[in-house]
Amino acid sequence: MKKRTLLSMAMVATMMATTFAGCGGSREGTTDTATTDDQTATEQTTDGAATTADMPGFEEGATIGVSLPWLGTQNWKEAEEMFTAQLTDAGYNPIVQAADQKVTQQQQQIESMIENGAKVIVVGPVDGSQLGSVLEQAKEAGVYVIGYDRLLENTSGVDGVVQFGSVKTGELQAQALLQGLEEQKGEAPYNIELFGGGPADPNAPNFFKGAMSVLQPKIDDGTLVVVSGQTDFTQCATQDWDNAKAQQRMDSLLAGNYSDKDIDGVLCPNDGIARACITACENAGQDIPVVSGLDAENESVEWVWQGRQYSTVAKPTEDLVAETIEIIDSLQAGNGMPSTDVTTNNGVIDVPIYELPPVVVTKDNAKEVFANDPSRMELLK
Ligand code: BGC
């Protein structure tokens, strides 16, 4: 049975979150020093949502394509499973594929979804800026395109993007790092290192930018010392989000800079990289530093609970998938894209953004955050 409650709870939550972001108000897990998401800078009130007349509906049972970048982190595996199950339950015919971090493979998968008559294609891009022409091809064929978790850049071939605030995520990671340092590592100054995600992923520079908006003033006033001196995103990025590459970089940072020093903290952009950095520090005989993360992966939720990883950030896949299916239902019914007040310029157009709020998780609030997530609650024992 297909549900078409346009203003679902998820949508109401999003609209509230959007309103809060627009007002610069603080939310749970943020502090007043946090700046609002950079999307507020480009945010504008918009009639961005196309009208119903522009966006004809399509038949029930239609084919829906979902193109994911890879299955290398838990969130993408969850997305693959949830889209397959929930689109099927909603009466659609899903084609869900992952591109193994390869741009060409993703372009080909999307082309074949168009050829197979998909009415909507949901895309988490390997490289945010490399899908322009295939997405424009989709638009010409009358296919709706929804970006999932990552922005689709430099293309007019996108109707909207569903994601968690990525600059906000970086701010939360940095705030947690500072909090953990104060709690666990005595008086400042603190020795830290910085890691970023895969440079092709549009989220990665935004996570880093959000984090640096919090950390840079503390570097400038001497509270934090980046002992390696590597503070540019390009120096800190981790190609393809590859945990092994992050671990290698951490190994060499430790060997080159910390033979006579303790490392107190590491800014990490996701849980896989967090665990890689913690392992490198343990291997080098360091005490475990305060480390941030992202995704609330099962293994990291356990590590947070054991005190081995200080924090993660929850961005529940079920909420993002539910939001996406809500939009697909609206398109199917001929109601067009739901309206939103947030847009981001992708280099070519102002893209409507459906933004959900990420939530920081430490040992202190884990039970609260996962109260409605029985499988993660199981890990808190
Ligand atoms: C996602 C993260 C994920 C990372 C690597 C990012 O775009 O937002 O949840 O950890 O990609 O897969």
Side-chain angles (χ1 to χ4, degrees):
M1 254 298 155
K2 200 176 288 182
K3 279 204 233 99
R4 295 207 190 85
T5 37
L6 195 55
L7 281 180
S8 69
M9 290 308 288
M11 191 63 76
V12 170
T14 305
M15 288 165 63
M16 286 168 68
T18 301
T19 309
F20 290 154
C23 297
S26 68
R27 298 192 292 271
E28 194 190 358
T30 71
T31 75
D32 289 334
T33 56
T35 55
T36 54
D37 207 298
D38 76 332
Q39 285 171 347
T40 45
T42 50
E43 189 176 300
Q44 58 191 41
T45 305
T46 176
D47 297 324
T51 62
T52 308
D54 296 322
M55 305 191 96
F58 49 84
E59 71 279 8
E60 295 196 16
T63 297
I64 308 292
V66 179
S67 171
L68 304 173
W70 71 324
L71 300 177
T73 48
Q74 188 176 328
N75 62 304
W76 298 112
K77 288 183 214 144
E78 289 171 345
E80 184 195 40
E81 283 160 25
M82 288 177 189
F83 272 121
T84 305
Q86 293 179 28
L87 285 169
T88 305
D89 285 354
Y92 297 108
N93 170 38
I95 305 177
V96 183
Q97 293 178 323
D100 204 18
Q101 293 284 32
K102 298 189 178 75
V103 171
T104 318
Q105 189 170 322
Q106 186 162 42
Q107 288 164 340
Q108 286 162 355
Q109 286 174 344
I110 294 172
E111 268 164 28
S112 114
M113 288 170 187
I114 302 170
E115 279 159 22
N116 280 298
K119 298 295 183 197
V120 180
I121 302 182
V122 176
V123 184
V126 172
D127 183 324
S129 62
Q130 294 299 311
L131 294 175
S133 50
V134 73
L135 296 182
E136 279 148 30
Q137 211 176 303
K139 291 267 67 172
E140 277 158 31
V143 180
Y144 297 120
V145 175
I146 304 174
Y148 175 85
D149 189 285
R150 299 177 174 180
L151 186 62
L152 296 166
E153 299 169 303
N154 294 334
T155 181
S156 58
V158 50
D159 294 292
V161 172
V162 182
Q163 64 178 175
F164 285 87
S166 52
V167 174
K168 182 85 224 163
T169 297
E171 290 167 7
L172 294 177
Q173 291 171 326
Q175 285 156 6
L177 179 63
L178 284 176
Q179 179 183 310
L181 289 167
E182 280 163 21
E183 270 175 32
Q184 299 186 351
K185 299 290 178 180
E187 295 289 304
Y190 306 110
N191 295 335
I192 66 161
E193 294 297 333
L194 309 172
F195 281 71
D201 171 1
N203 282 339
N206 278 338
F207 293 157
F208 197 77
K209 176 177 168 185
M212 288 310 272
S213 72
V214 175
L215 299 181
Q216 190 64 54
K218 300 289 180 185
I219 295 172
D220 294 343
D221 75 10
T223 306
L224 301 175
V225 181
V226 181
V227 176
S228 69
Q230 297 181 12
T231 56
D232 289 341
F233 175 71
T234 46
Q235 295 172 303
C236 301
T238 307
Q239 198 65 37
D240 289 339
W241 288 96
D242 182 338
N243 300 340
K245 292 194 176 114
Q247 192 162 335
Q248 280 160 17
R249 176 166 175 258
M250 190 76 237
D251 286 341
S252 22
L253 290 173
L254 290 166
N257 302 280
Y258 290 87
S259 53
D260 58 351
K261 287 189 187 69
D262 292 337
I263 181 157
D264 300 312
V266 188
L267 174 79
C268 286
N270 78 352
D271 284 344
I273 292 176
R275 296 193 301 272
C277 287
I278 292 166
T279 303
C281 291
E282 286 174 334
N283 291 346
Q286 291 272 350
D287 287 345
I288 294 180
V290 174
V291 174
S292 64
L294 169 68
D295 289 336
E297 291 197 347
N298 291 350
E299 200 174 347
S300 282
V301 169
E302 284 175 336
W303 284 30
V304 167
W305 194 244
Q306 293 158 6
R308 208 166 156 208
Q309 179 177 326
Y310 181 75
S311 68
T312 183
V313 172
K315 52 192 273 287
T317 307
E318 58 267 35
D319 293 353
L320 214 54
V321 169
E323 182 88 33
T324 310
I325 295 182
E326 193 80 21
I327 295 174
I328 295 170
D329 285 346
S330 173
L331 291 168
Q332 191 275 326
N335 293 328
M337 294 295 286
S339 68
T340 169
D341 286 342
V342 182
T343 62
T344 275
N345 191 282
N346 75 349
V348 177
I349 58 166
D350 288 334
V351 183
I353 305 286
Y354 303 85
E355 191 173 273
L356 304 183
V359 178
V360 74
V361 185
T362 61
K363 190 170 180 179
D364 284 347
N365 71 350
K367 288 209 159 164
E368 220 177 289
V369 176
F370 298 129
N372 298 320
D373 184 340
S375 65
R376 284 186 174 79
M377 278 303 263
E378 270 296 299
L379 306 169
L380 308 180
K381 292 206 165 125

